[in-house]
Amino acid sequence: MPRELTLALAQMNCLVGDITGNVDKIIELSATARREHGADLVVFPELALTGYPPEDLLMRPEFIERCEAGLERIRRAVGGIAVLVGFPHLSKGELYNAAAVLRDGETLALYHKHLLPNYSVFDEKRYFRSGSRPAVFELAGVQVGLTVCEDIWGPAPMAQSVRAGAQLVVNINASPFHVDKQAEREAVIRERVSTSPVPVVYVNMVGGQDELVFDGGSLVMDAQGRISQRAPAFEEGLYLARFRQGRSGLEPIPGEVAQIDSVASVYQALVTGVRDYIGKNRFAGAIVGLSGGVDSALTVAIAADALGAERVHAVMMPSPYTADMSLEDARAEAEALGVRYSVIPIADVAASVERALAQEFAGKPRDTTEENIQARVRGVLLMALSNKTGKLVLTTGNKTEMAVGYATLYGDMAGGFAVIKDVPKLLVYTLSRYRNGLSQVIPERVLTRAPSAELRPDQTDQDSLPPYEVLDAILELYVEQDRSAEDIARATGASLKTIREVIGMVTRNEYKRRQAAPGVRISQRAFGRDRRYPITSGFKEPRGD
């Protein structure tokens, strides 16, 4: 190796289906990597040509044709640097999740992904066939092997590449975020290196795509399993990785190792998800019903951080049951954030709905029906503002509420994107305090008062639900780990009666969750793509003793 080998890791934010835009960005970043950094190779994420996941777009022949044309445009436009790009490759009637290395109009290497994930949010066997051969090519005197995403999670693809002569393995990814995902990735890569001891370059995309958020965290690991470089999470850009020959073989030259904070990562994932969902879908901004409670307070703060205060409209819609402190705290937060703030009372509108129904309701006592009318009036007002302004309504329900159905269908569930639908209630408080650590925007009283829907006099959430400390622990084990009631009782100390009541609420409210807006996924088992239960089901949990 006559000189240093320089790779530019393109931590890129792709837009699914925008082949022209993605190709433009690939060409621009490649030119920058060559002109400004003198890189030998620029590495783009998995399926960078299409964005990830392209889902059933892959079934459209014209989509694949545009991908082929886009790859050819890259081949013709980029010179003086090698480009590694992920794309769908149609070969002999079969579609592969592929990676190609292009340089000066030639293809230096072509690789078909071996291991196709078909679990959790992944459904690749629906679209792709598995590859079986390694791909190793020479770059500045170094033999470089290719792998794609899931290939690094099993031992065979990297081992096969090293046996074929690879001195360095590059792994391109579209790996979505969940809590502590980066630590999992690095542990897996370290395991691969322990049996196939060559350096690994791991490149991941960034940005939001519907429910998924990609957090970047691209890295270089040396042959001893040490992180020599880690790119910042959630930041798009080119990050240079340099290598030289040492006594033990190819060695990465140490670079910046960005640090990871779990709570900060979750908050940034939510901000990224909101920014890209609204931006990529071309909404003018966001509208949030700001109630004076902690869920809407966190949602408004995330929206302002994602979009800028000037694009966020907070709307307080008080009823006769809205406490003065809710009005005061909502206004205080809106002023602290600098977002537009409106107050639209709902008492008269709700009363007119009740008058319209008076004959039908005659002789029936007041119950949750009247409470839900208030929530649905608010939904109508927010959606009217959305229609008129082109801004998207962000719903404010958290994962705990979504799990047990503590939400009003077509009321507070009305909206286009559910920011915190995968955030349990206790984590809502943690994230709110984290945000206040950046700058004080959420009034302290919001974080210390008893949570309430304020739909009847003196109402609190605990009138209908177990304490959140108990409820969140039960839900984590039942929803995210599929544990039985008896297992949950042993793990939490909660009574079987309480646990079974909670499980019953989860089961009964599947129909609500199926109609809920999409929202940012931060856990390994989010409602929607991860957890798929039938709405109509005769299955009952075993009763036990």
Side-chain angles (χ1 to χ4, degrees):
M1 182 177 173
R3 57 180 177 82
E4 291 181 0
L5 173 67
T6 301
L7 275 57
L9 316 186
Q11 202 162 264
M12 177 177 162
N13 189 343
C14 307
L15 173 56
V16 164
D18 183 15
I19 297 165
T20 298
N22 294 334
V23 167
D24 288 345
K25 187 178 287 189
I26 289 167
I27 292 171
E28 179 184 354
L29 289 171
S30 298
T32 300
R34 175 186 57 79
R35 183 179 61 251
E36 298 183 13
H37 305 296
D40 299 288
L41 173 70
V42 56
V43 183
F44 291 94
E46 177 183 16
L47 292 179
L49 213 66
T50 64
Y52 192 93
E55 301 185 291
D56 282 6
L57 288 172
L58 292 165
M59 295 182 172
R60 301 188 67 87
E62 65 270 27
F63 184 75
I64 301 302
E65 290 168 6
R66 291 184 192 178
C67 289
E68 292 171 350
L71 191 70
E72 184 59 30
R73 188 154 69 90
I74 295 169
R75 192 193 317 273
R76 292 196 312 266
V78 178
I81 186 172
V83 178
L84 169 53
V85 62
F87 70 105
H89 181 220
L90 184 64
S91 176
K92 298 180 180 177
E94 301 288 356
L95 193 64
Y96 297 90
N97 185 336
V101 181
L102 312 175
R103 186 172 64 193
D104 298 328
E106 297 182 358
T107 300
L108 301 186
L110 177 64
Y111 178 82
H112 293 155
K113 186 175 182 179
H114 291 192
L115 305 181
L116 301 178
N118 222 65
Y119 56 87
S120 184
V121 300
F122 304 106
D123 201 14
E124 291 199 14
K125 290 184 180 179
R126 178 178 173 88
Y127 309 107
F128 298 118
R129 290 293 298 271
S130 295
S132 58
R133 297 179 180 177
V136 178
F137 68 101
E138 185 273 333
L139 185 69
V142 175
Q143 296 298 311
V144 180
L146 303 180
T147 57
V148 177
C149 203
E150 188 77 9
D151 290 338
I152 205 75
W153 292 76
M158 180 166 165
Q160 187 183 29
S161 184
V162 172
R163 285 197 301 271
Q167 300 167 281
L168 168 69
V169 170
V170 178
N171 181 250
I172 62 171
N173 292 265
S175 177
F177 171 85
H178 64 66
V179 177
D180 297 328
K181 181 67 174 286
Q182 188 71 10
E184 292 178 30
R185 295 172 184 139
E186 294 180 9
V188 166
I189 299 169
R190 192 167 287 112
E191 187 177 343
R192 297 290 84 77
V193 167
S194 70
T195 55
S196 300
V198 300
V200 172
V201 171
Y202 174 99
V203 177
N204 193 24
M205 67 172 54
V206 294
Q209 174 59 38
D210 297 340
E211 301 100 318
L212 303 182
V213 173
F214 301 93
D215 55 321
S218 302
L219 63 91
V220 178
M221 184 177 288
D222 69 16
Q224 288 73 47
R226 297 172 299 212
I227 300 294
S228 64
Q229 186 171 344
R230 183 191 296 123
F234 303 102
E235 292 187 20
E236 189 172 20
L238 285 174
Y239 301 91
L240 300 186
R242 294 186 170 91
F243 297 83
R244 63 190 168 202
Q245 287 289 359
R247 282 185 244 176
S248 59
L250 190 68
E251 297 175 350
I253 299 171
E256 182 179 353
V257 179
Q259 298 305 303
I260 303 168
D261 178 275
S262 182
V263 174
S265 293
V266 172
Y267 190 84
Q268 193 57 48
L270 297 169
V271 168
T272 301
V274 171
R275 181 200 68 208
D276 281 0
Y277 192 85
I278 287 179
K280 291 178 178 180
N281 287 294
R282 301 180 183 276
F283 289 101
I287 296 173
V288 184
L290 184 58
S291 69
V294 66
D295 296 321
S296 63
L298 178 60
T299 301
V300 157
I302 290 167
D305 289 345
L307 307 173
E310 69 282 356
R311 297 180 65 198
V312 178
H313 185 183
V315 186
M316 160 57 89
M317 296 167 286
S319 78
Y321 310 114
T322 301
D324 288 343
M325 63 175 156
S326 295
L327 285 160
E328 294 164 3
D329 291 344
R331 181 176 292 278
E333 180 177 6
E335 290 176 352
L337 288 168
V339 302
R340 181 183 175 190
Y341 180 67
S342 300
V343 178
I344 307 176
I346 67 164
D348 290 346
V349 184
S352 70
V353 174
E354 291 190 35
R355 284 195 299 272
L357 292 165
Q359 185 173 341
E360 301 294 332
F361 288 0
K364 296 180 173 63
R366 294 180 70 84
D367 56 16
T368 55
T369 304
E370 285 75 16
E371 295 179 23
N372 289 341
I373 286 172
Q374 297 171 62
R376 288 177 176 133
V377 164
R378 289 178 172 132
V380 167
L381 296 174
L382 291 175
M383 290 307 300
L385 290 170
S386 175
N387 290 160
K388 190 63 72 174
T389 65
K391 293 180 178 178
L392 183 72
V393 175
L394 302 179
T395 68
T396 61
N398 60 64
K399 188 172 189 174
T400 306
E401 293 172 345
M402 292 300 100
V404 298
Y406 194 65
T408 303
L409 196 60
Y410 320 124
D412 56 320
M413 289 177 65
F417 199 62
V419 180
I420 59 171
K421 73 177 290 186
D422 199 31
V423 180
K425 186 71 171 189
L426 296 181
L427 183 54
V428 169
Y429 285 100
T430 300
L431 291 169
S432 297
R433 294 196 179 279
Y434 166 80
R435 178 58 183 85
N436 273 359
L438 303 178
S439 65
Q440 186 76 28
V441 294
I442 301 174
E444 182 63 24
R445 188 165 54 183
V446 173
L447 304 177
T448 56
R449 64 184 288 202
S452 171
E454 294 190 324
L455 296 173
R456 63 174 182 267
D458 303 318
Q459 182 184 28
T460 68
D461 291 1
Q462 260 60 74
D463 296 340
S464 308
L465 302 173
Y468 282 117
E469 291 80 1
V470 175
L471 182 55
D472 276 2
I474 293 170
L475 291 172
E476 180 179 355
L477 294 172
Y478 181 70
V479 172
E480 298 189 20
Q481 300 182 29
D482 292 315
R483 301 275 287 277
S484 70
E486 290 74 17
D487 281 349
I488 296 170
R490 285 189 287 270
T492 65
S495 71
L496 278 173
K497 179 177 182 294
T498 296
I499 293 167
R500 288 181 176 133
E501 287 174 352
V502 170
I503 290 173
M505 287 189 280
V506 173
T507 302
R508 287 193 300 275
N509 286 286
E510 184 62 39
Y511 79 101
K512 283 188 182 180
R513 291 189 294 274
R514 194 70 65 90
Q515 299 178 69
V520 183
R521 173 187 184 266
I522 64 156
S523 75
Q524 295 189 63
R525 202 79 186 278
F527 293 123
R529 297 174 67 99
D530 281 310
R531 187 180 186 274
R532 309 175 199 180
Y533 273 68
I535 296 172
T536 306
S537 171
F539 177 77
K540 304 294 182 187
E541 295 291 327
R543 294 292 300 176
D545 295 329

